[in-house]
Amino acid sequence: RALRPVDSDAAMAQSTSLAAILDKVSSNDKDFRYMATSDLLAELSKDSFRAAPDVEKKVVAAVLRQLDDQSGDVSTLAVKCLPPLVKNCSKGSVADVVNGLVDRLCAEEGKDARAKRDAGVIGLKTVLNETPGALFRTNVCVVVKTLVPKLVAKLSQTLCSGDAAKNTGAAGDVAGDCLDVLHAAAAEHGAYMTVGHDDVGDASNNSPDGVSAETARELEAALVKYLAESGRPGTRKRAATCLASLGATAGDGFLSRCASAARDVVETAVSEKKLPARRDELCAPYVHMLGAMAHAAGARFGKHAAESLPCVVSLAAAAREEGSEALRETCLRTLERFAEECPRAVAPSLKEVVLESLKLVAHDPLYGDDDGAEDGADDMDADGDDDDDGSEYGSEYDASEYSDDGDDDASWKIRRGATRVLRAVSSKAPFVMEAKTTDASTEQPLFVSVVQKLVARGSRERDESCRLEAFAALEAALRAASPSRGASSSLA
């Protein structure tokens, strides 16, 4: 949104009002500071807000100072002042706000360093989330072009120093906070970070509205390197999620490089038969990235999804040990995303996916796989119990919220993940249900096997969330057999 012409009289009157407020902001009485900050927020939120340049700079300094206020109520109001301030002030003041917040985010040492970092992270994420690019394009562009190079430089510094591999320390905390903010920026304003929709590897694609091609390349390199080298599973997942969010607006070259890197890691881990704990830690964020990138890029990711699907299936089959439930669930979630977003591209492999999912739908080591003799040959079914409620890569939900018995059993996550895969295939690729099963004794369409299995699970499932997913998948399968959706008479 273009800034309106400044009415000199209105600006002078507002500047006088702001000057009075700024005097109270510095009061020793926290109640006065709170009321003054509240008045400042009201002034900044007015559509008519305009201030003389010198007063505007004082307002920026006051808001940034209030972020560090000892009173939580005052600092909370200061955070609320940031979005209207960024929307309505000049480009120079926008850059000053961003620089002040980044300085707080990068505070590793000194008194109240953790509190300063928290203020920086919350402030930046609030600005990014509450400043729509469509309405405030000019100022959002300034925010991104000021913010991204600084965060990339900080990440690169952490990587070069070797601190990325440490599980403790302020440097690792700062890197994690940088990734948090980068993800927020990519989710809200990714188009400014990937030089439009063009390939970030082409230097000719510089855009006046976004970061330079060089910065985009440095951002990609830093995220990929951090994903490969960090010793913190949580921050590795943040890097993977950030790459996936960028994939929504990046070109095919970016998608290809990320997918290829993920496949190389997964295929190497499977072929070398790495120890389960190391394999799970290494592969989980890459598999998560593949699924998230398919969700972000949609059909554009189809070719890469088709190339990546076999290695995801192989990894799920290899993760049979007790304690690998989270990785298995992540693999199933990625397969679900492939089926939902790129059904035509992955169609040749979906029959195999459905057959493996049918085995896992009945996976329940505590009570046994009781849906029929056909489940006894479950090659992927050797999991035990695992306390995985805090998994970085598994379920979006907490097991204790849905599990019937509240114990450490995590098999319900695998059953639910497999059921969701069946629902996704039935909804997005119903033509797969007409394929014949490979069982020599009873050759029948996959549709029959899916319906039989889901009906059995609906009546026997002990976990409420899995039971609901089974009914939802059954409904999707029955709809897939409808002639109105192009199903042949063989499914009637």
Side-chain angles (χ1 to χ4, degrees):
R1 183 174 68 175
L3 293 177
R4 295 180 293 276
V6 176
D7 184 316
S8 58
D9 293 338
M12 183 63 68
Q14 196 151 37
S15 295
T16 302
S17 175
L18 288 171
I21 294 174
L22 292 176
D23 288 339
K24 298 178 183 178
V25 163
S26 302
S27 172
N28 292 327
D29 190 320
K30 69 176 183 179
D31 292 331
F32 277 15
R33 296 198 305 274
Y34 178 84
M35 290 186 291
T37 308
S38 179
D39 292 340
L40 181 59
L41 175 60
E43 290 291 329
L44 293 174
S45 301
K46 293 178 180 179
D47 290 338
S48 60
F49 170 76
R50 290 295 176 271
D54 58 330
V55 176
E56 187 176 271
K57 288 184 178 296
K58 292 179 180 178
V59 171
V60 169
V63 171
L64 291 175
R65 187 170 59 251
Q66 295 299 83
L67 291 174
D68 303 325
D69 197 281
Q70 295 298 315
S71 170
D73 293 335
V74 175
S75 60
T76 299
L77 276 180
V79 170
K80 294 180 180 180
C81 290
L82 291 171
L85 182 60
V86 168
K87 292 173 185 177
N88 295 315
C89 64
S90 64
K91 293 182 180 180
S93 294
V94 172
D96 290 341
V97 170
V98 174
N99 287 330
L101 293 172
V102 171
D103 289 344
R104 284 165 172 76
L105 183 152
C106 295
E108 295 184 17
E109 299 177 355
K111 184 179 179 181
D112 299 328
R114 178 68 262 181
K116 287 182 178 293
R117 288 202 301 272
D118 289 342
V121 172
I122 294 171
L124 287 168
K125 292 173 76 171
T126 300
V127 168
L128 292 166
N129 293 335
E130 298 186 16
T131 310
L135 297 178
F136 304 95
R137 179 168 181 161
T138 300
N139 285 8
V140 168
C141 178
V142 174
V143 170
V144 174
K145 294 177 77 170
T146 305
L147 174 67
V148 173
K150 288 181 174 292
L151 296 186
V152 171
K154 189 62 181 178
L155 271 182
S156 300
Q157 177 186 343
T158 304
L159 289 164
C160 293
S161 67
D163 290 331
K166 297 178 181 178
N167 289 324
T168 59
D173 293 338
V174 171
D177 291 338
C178 288
L179 290 170
D180 261 349
V181 175
L182 282 172
H183 176 233
E188 296 293 335
H189 309 293
Y192 295 99
M193 300 169 65
T194 55
V195 197
H197 292 272
D198 295 321
D199 191 346
V200 299
D202 187 351
S204 67
N205 289 325
N206 281 331
S207 168
D209 292 330
V211 300
S212 66
E214 180 182 1
T215 300
R217 286 196 297 270
E218 291 174 353
L219 172 61
E220 178 188 343
L223 291 173
V224 170
K225 190 173 182 181
Y226 197 91
L227 179 59
E229 297 182 7
S230 173
R232 294 188 176 193
T235 50
R236 291 182 70 220
K237 184 183 179 183
R238 293 177 202 172
T241 305
C242 188
L243 284 168
S245 296
L246 291 173
T249 54
D252 187 66
F254 178 89
L255 300 178
S256 178
R257 290 190 292 275
C258 291
S260 177
R263 287 196 302 272
D264 289 344
V265 170
V266 172
E267 289 171 354
T268 300
V270 173
S271 62
E272 294 181 357
K273 297 182 179 179
K274 292 184 179 293
L275 293 175
R278 175 58 181 159
R279 177 201 62 211
D280 295 359
E281 179 185 0
L282 183 66
C283 295
Y286 285 100
V287 177
H288 170 79
M289 180 182 70
L290 289 172
M293 195 165 283
H295 181 65
R300 294 192 301 120
F301 196 70
K303 177 178 70 174
H304 312 295
E307 295 172 351
S308 304
L309 187 146
C311 72
V312 176
V313 173
S314 299
L315 180 61
R320 296 175 294 182
E321 300 83 5
E322 178 180 353
S324 295
E325 290 89 348
L327 176 62
R328 230 172 179 187
E329 187 195 13
T330 302
C331 291
L332 289 169
R333 179 59 172 159
T334 296
L335 294 175
E336 178 192 351
R337 286 280 174 82
F338 286 172
E340 287 179 338
E341 306 295 344
C342 322
R344 289 290 175 182
V346 299
S349 302
L350 285 182
K351 178 181 176 181
E352 177 188 1
V353 171
V354 170
L355 290 174
E356 294 296 347
S357 298
L358 284 173
K359 299 175 183 178
L360 293 178
V361 162
H363 170 62
D364 195 349
L366 289 185
Y367 288 81
D369 296 341
D370 58 356
D371 284 353
E374 70 273 16
D375 296 331
D378 184 0
D379 294 331
M380 295 174 62
D381 207 4
D383 294 271
D385 302 334
D386 179 47
D387 185 3
D388 189 43
D389 293 352
S391 167
E392 291 288 349
Y393 305 103
S395 171
E396 305 164 9
Y397 309 100
D398 184 19
S400 62
E401 183 179 355
Y402 291 99
S403 181
D404 287 344
D405 47 18
D407 58 16
D408 294 340
D409 175 44
S411 62
W412 65 277
K413 298 180 179 181
I414 296 177
R415 297 196 302 275
R416 188 184 63 185
T419 306
R420 286 177 169 175
V421 171
L422 295 178
R423 184 178 64 176
V425 174
S426 298
S427 300
K428 301 297 183 179
F431 51 86
V432 175
M433 294 300 175
E434 298 189 31
K436 301 295 184 181
T437 61
T438 55
D439 190 344
S441 60
T442 57
E443 183 174 327
Q444 58 187 11
L446 277 178
F447 167 77
V448 176
S449 299
V450 169
V451 169
Q452 289 176 343
K453 181 69 72 173
L454 292 174
V455 168
R457 288 316 302 171
S459 61
R460 294 171 177 162
E461 179 57 57
R462 61 190 175 89
D463 183 271
E464 182 65 20
S465 67
C466 294
R467 188 182 305 117
L468 293 174
E469 288 292 346
F471 289 138
L474 178 60
E475 179 184 1
L478 293 174
R479 289 181 182 276
S482 170
S484 64
R485 300 197 61 186
S488 67
S489 58
S490 63
L491 299 186

